[in-house]
């Protein structure tokens, strides 16, 4: 297991040591090195440098074409310490037909992360939404046959990336998008109860070093969904599912909220179960036109990040894209466009939201340097029964 403590020294920690010299001292600057980050002057720091010193990850999602050399890739490598393949590891990409596997896009994104000393949140093995499940999978009605396809999928894909990725979103969106019941998915319909715990165990067996996560949408704003998700995670743990962490996507509906006290308590509800928690797909849309909304957006970003920083065991904040030009929200048909939900504008210029995220991270670094060290909470659950799907 790689997740023995929440403030681990992995590639991120090594990067932090290189950047900061001796943590807690005045940063040392090796001859010829890039500008040293001084959190008292946040403009001297990247998000990644600040997150590194805090022992957390700051991440972004990206597609295979976005990690090709250019300003997009430059921004990714400079600012972020974790990378989530946005679509490259989804079932429809990796396993588009029975027994057919394609890792070209996944290899590109994972390879870029490795080259840039970024960790990988591999996303995702089983997405329990019919809309994003290949037709050939949805056509399977027999529980034994579907269990075999699921086992083949997760063992092949997780096995392919074993040792290259630090964590998997094993199950994505087990609950209904705008509700509290299980989603209406072929997996929930056809497979017997207990299938999710079996999938976690199968992934643990094939990649024992990867942290295993469950990821959900809308728990921060759909009424009752947080409580339903806590109950589901509890049930999975009770069933022996080897879950290490809980991802909350945090696709905010607007710049309103979240309330820091209430949202950080939601995060704590998962760390109280002995799990890590992370914000895995953050974006905050604003109405088109005018710059005032950019400032409201910046404050909303601050509240989300501050909520995570308030909770030991909240180990990552990942934004769902880098520039406003590449957001999924503009194609959703729900919000007036352009939605401008991310940290960088179309021309890679940092927005007020970027400045505010950097500022709140810098404040946390300064507070940490001034105060006592933070205790690590208890470790993850590791029970691993065999796959029985
Ligand atoms: O951003 C992703 C978009 O490019 C894809 O077309 C879509 C369908 O695969 O998925 C989007 O990402 C989703 C993520 O994988 C899971 N949570 C919701 C995200 C937005 O739909």
């Amino acid at each position: 297991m790689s997740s023995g403590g929440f403030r681990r020294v992995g590639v991120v920690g090594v990067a932090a040591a290189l950047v900061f010299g001796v943590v807690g001292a005045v940063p040392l600057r090796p001859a010829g090195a890039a500008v040293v980050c001084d959190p008292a002057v946040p403009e001297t720091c990247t998000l990644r440098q600040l997150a590194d010193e805090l022992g957390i990850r700051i991440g972004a999602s990206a597609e295979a074409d976005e990690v090709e050399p250019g300003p997009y890739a430059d921004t990714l490598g400079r600012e972020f310490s974790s990378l989530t393949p946005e679509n490259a590891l989804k079932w429809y990409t990796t396993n588009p037909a029975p027994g057919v596997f394609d890792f070209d896009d996944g290899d590109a994104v994972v390879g870029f992360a490795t080259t840039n000393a970024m960790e990988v949140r591999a996303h995702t093995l089983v997405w329990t939404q019919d809309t994003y499940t290949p037709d050939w999978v949805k056509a399977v009605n027999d529980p034994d046959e579907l269990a075999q396809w699921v086992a083949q999928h997760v063992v092949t894909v997780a096995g392919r990336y074993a040792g290259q990725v630090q964590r998997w979103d094993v199950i994505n969106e087990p609950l209904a998008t705008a509700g509290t019941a299980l989603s209406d998915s072929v997996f929930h319909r056809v497979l017997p109860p207990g299938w999710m715990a079996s999938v976690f165990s199968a992934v643990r067996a094939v990649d024992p070093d990867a942290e295993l996560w469950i990821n959900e949408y809308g728990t921060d704003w759909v009424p009752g969904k947080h409580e339903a998700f806590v109950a589901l995670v509890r049930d999975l743990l009770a069933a022996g599912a080897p879950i290490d962490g809980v991802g909350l996507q945090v696709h905010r509906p607007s710049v309103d909220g979240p309330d820091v006290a209430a949202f950080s308590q939601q995060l704590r509800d998962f760390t109280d179960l002995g799990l890590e928690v992370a914000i895995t797909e953050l974006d905050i849309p604003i109405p088109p036109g005018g710059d005032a909304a950019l400032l409201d957006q910046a404050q909303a970003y601050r509240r989300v990040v501050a909520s995570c920083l308030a909770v030991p065991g909240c180990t990552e904040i990942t934004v769902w894209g880098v520039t406003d030009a590449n957001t999924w929200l503009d194609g959703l048909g729900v919000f007036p466009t352009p939605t401008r939900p991310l940290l960088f504008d179309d021309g890679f210029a940092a927005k007020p939201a970027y400045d505010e995220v950097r500022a709140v991270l810098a404040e946390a670094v300064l507070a940490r340097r001034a105060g006592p060290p933070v205790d690590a909470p208890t470790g993850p659950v590791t029970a691993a029964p065999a796959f029985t799907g």
Side-chain angles (χ1 to χ4, degrees):
M1 281 297 304
S2 63
S3 50
F6 291 120
R7 307 297 182 199
R8 292 176 303 126
V9 177
V11 287
V12 169
V14 171
L18 290 173
V19 167
F20 286 100
V22 179
V23 173
V26 175
L28 301 175
R29 182 178 180 181
V35 173
V36 167
C37 163
D38 176 1
V41 187
E43 308 82 67
T44 62
C45 301
T46 65
L47 303 184
R48 176 177 187 161
Q49 288 172 313
L50 295 164
D52 280 352
E53 183 164 343
L54 292 170
I56 65 171
R57 301 177 298 279
I58 183 91
S61 67
E63 301 267 48
D65 60 342
E66 291 164 346
V67 300
E68 290 171 4
Y72 206 100
D74 292 345
T75 308
L76 276 171
R78 184 184 71 243
E79 298 290 343
F80 299 99
S81 57
S82 179
L83 194 55
T84 302
E86 188 160 334
N87 296 305
L89 293 180
K90 289 174 177 172
W91 193 316
Y92 62 73
T93 306
T94 58
N95 186 191
V100 173
F101 290 88
D102 181 344
F103 297 118
D104 288 353
D105 284 0
D107 287 355
V109 180
V110 172
F112 176 85
T114 304
T115 303
N116 288 276
M118 305 166 85
E119 296 195 2
V120 178
R121 172 176 291 279
H123 174 85
T124 174
L125 288 168
V126 183
W127 188 353
T128 42
Q129 298 285 342
D130 277 354
T131 311
Y132 307 111
T133 303
D135 287 345
W136 71 268
V137 179
K138 281 186 285 191
V140 180
N141 296 313
D142 177 67
D144 292 335
E145 184 188 351
L146 185 57
Q148 284 172 13
W149 288 124
V150 169
Q152 184 198 59
H153 177 76
V154 304
V155 166
T156 304
V157 178
R160 176 70 175 70
Y161 290 102
Q164 298 181 62
V165 303
Q166 283 69 34
R167 54 198 58 82
W168 271 103
D169 288 341
V170 175
I171 305 278
N172 186 47
E173 300 174 19
L175 299 177
T177 302
T180 59
L182 290 177
S183 57
D184 183 17
S185 148
V186 65
F187 304 107
H188 289 319
R189 286 194 302 273
V190 173
L191 295 173
W195 75 271
M196 287 192 284
S198 298
V199 167
F200 274 98
S201 299
V203 181
R204 169 64 29 94
V206 77
D207 187 355
D209 290 333
E211 298 169 8
L212 307 185
W213 290 64
I214 186 166
N215 195 45
E216 187 52 273
Y217 167 90
T219 57
D220 52 312
W221 61 273
V222 175
K225 193 163 181 178
H226 168 71
E227 290 73 16
F229 192 37
V230 172
L232 175 65
V233 171
R234 272 184 195 281
D235 288 350
L236 287 168
L237 292 174
I243 300 176
D244 300 310
V246 173
L248 307 181
Q249 295 182 9
V250 191
H251 293 290
R252 297 293 300 167
S254 77
V255 296
D256 297 334
D259 176 77
V260 173
F263 185 48
S264 56
Q265 183 55 50
Q266 291 190 347
L267 299 172
R268 230 173 264 120
D269 287 344
F270 293 107
T271 59
D272 284 350
L273 298 176
L275 302 172
E276 290 184 51
V277 68
I279 292 160
T280 53
E281 303 185 15
L282 178 60
D283 48 21
I284 306 176
I286 54 176
D291 286 348
L294 294 170
L295 303 179
D296 296 336
Q297 178 184 53
Q299 291 306 313
Y301 265 98
R302 166 179 279 273
R303 288 189 291 272
V304 172
V305 174
S307 300
C308 177
L309 294 177
V311 179
C314 185
T315 50
E316 176 183 327
I317 300 151
T318 282
V319 288
W320 206 239
V322 173
T323 68
D324 286 341
N326 82 306
T327 175
W328 71 291
L329 286 171
D330 280 0
L332 187 62
V334 168
F335 299 101
T337 58
T339 59
R340 301 181 291 166
L342 294 167
L343 300 181
F344 295 88
D345 71 14
D346 295 2
F348 297 94
K351 295 166 57 184
Y354 172 91
D355 295 340
E356 206 60 35
V357 170
R358 184 177 58 189
V360 70
L361 290 173
E363 290 161 20
V365 168
L366 292 172
R368 170 176 287 229
R369 288 184 180 184
V374 177
D375 287 340
T378 53
V381 175
T382 54
F387 184 83
T388 55

